[in-house]
Amino acid sequence: MNLLWRGCVPYEEMLLLQEAQRAARMRGEAADELWLLEHPAVITAGRRMAGEGRPEGLPEEIGWVATGRGGLATCHEPGQLVGYLLMDAGRIGPKRLVRAVEEGLIGWLAGAGVAASVVEGLPGVWTEGGKVAAIGMQLERGYTMHGFALNLCNDLAGFGWIVPCGLAGRRVTTVERLTGARRTPEEVWAAVGAAVAVELKKALDASGGAG
């Protein structure tokens, strides 16, 4: 799997790039890739929020985009590492795919001094301080788009405008708040991407796939 750092890219621009890349992957013209990047502040709404519009009073500097991914609302901000998985995951299956991504993030977090885990029935990665990573993917004929968002040193201001992933009463946190150490997406993207790629390879090997 190729790991690529894409920098800070507007959400809607990256959405179009993902769609083009997935189409190329479906045609066999591209390899499996994991794109690592940041977004300017934006709230994204999943399929379960179809028909809902921009919240009244949302500051102009925070974007609002309806998407085709699963789930409800989440927020992307500078300081958050976003990972977009563009691969043939048909030989893994959606549940094993999500679990592999979760395990990769949990492994990297452990090395950063954060004890994290999964909570049954709640996608994402959790700590005692709250949810530190969200996961939301879209599969078409087994080919993926979207991925994960790991809160590193973002200020979480945008999350005050939503109920993250529809989970009322559940806190959101960052690696910086949990450890006191500031790690930026550009500093850690390669290590986080590698940790996720290792777990995806394990899932492929267990399924008898190649990649």
Side-chain angles (χ1 to χ4, degrees):
M1 172 173 289
N2 297 326
L3 306 180
L4 300 174
W5 171 246
R6 304 301 299 263
C8 187
V9 186
Y11 185 87
E12 290 174 295
E13 177 183 335
M14 185 52 64
L15 188 59
L16 293 174
L17 291 171
Q18 284 189 79
E19 290 170 347
Q21 178 71 13
R22 182 167 68 174
R25 184 68 188 87
M26 286 178 171
R27 296 191 301 267
E29 298 171 359
D32 290 345
E33 294 187 346
L34 176 57
W35 294 354
L36 291 306
L37 57 132
E38 292 179 272
H39 286 307
V42 61
I43 292 171
T44 70
R47 290 191 304 271
R48 290 168 61 191
M49 295 181 67
E52 295 191 29
R54 183 183 179 90
E56 185 176 352
L58 182 68
E60 287 298 321
E61 61 268 22
I62 301 178
W64 172 269
V65 180
T67 79
R69 64 160 172 78
L72 292 166
T74 194
C75 180
H76 298 303
E77 304 169 319
Q80 178 193 73
L81 178 65
V82 177
Y84 287 138
L85 187 60
L86 297 141
M87 66 175 290
D88 175 5
R91 57 229 194 260
I92 301 178
K95 289 185 178 179
R96 188 178 291 179
L97 174 68
V98 170
R99 182 50 56 91
V101 174
E102 290 170 340
E103 290 300 324
L105 295 175
I106 289 168
W108 180 84
L109 285 163
V114 176
S117 63
V118 296
V119 177
E120 192 63 34
L122 300 178
V125 177
W126 300 81
T127 72
E128 288 189 1
K131 189 174 187 177
V132 71
I135 296 177
M137 283 181 274
Q138 179 197 52
L139 277 76
E140 181 178 339
R141 303 198 331 252
Y143 293 86
T144 62
M145 269 180 53
H146 302 289
F148 66 84
L150 174 62
N151 294 328
L152 292 172
C153 57
N154 42 313
D155 62 17
L156 301 180
F159 286 90
W161 289 91
I162 63 173
V163 178
C165 302
L167 301 174
R170 295 275 186 167
R171 291 180 294 172
V172 179
T173 190
T174 69
V175 173
E176 184 175 26
R177 293 187 181 198
L178 293 166
T179 66
R182 185 176 181 83
R183 297 173 173 87
T184 69
E186 191 166 5
E187 290 170 338
V188 305
W189 71 267
V192 175
V196 171
V198 165
E199 294 302 323
L200 288 168
K201 186 177 187 306
K202 289 179 182 177
L204 284 166
D205 289 346
S207 69

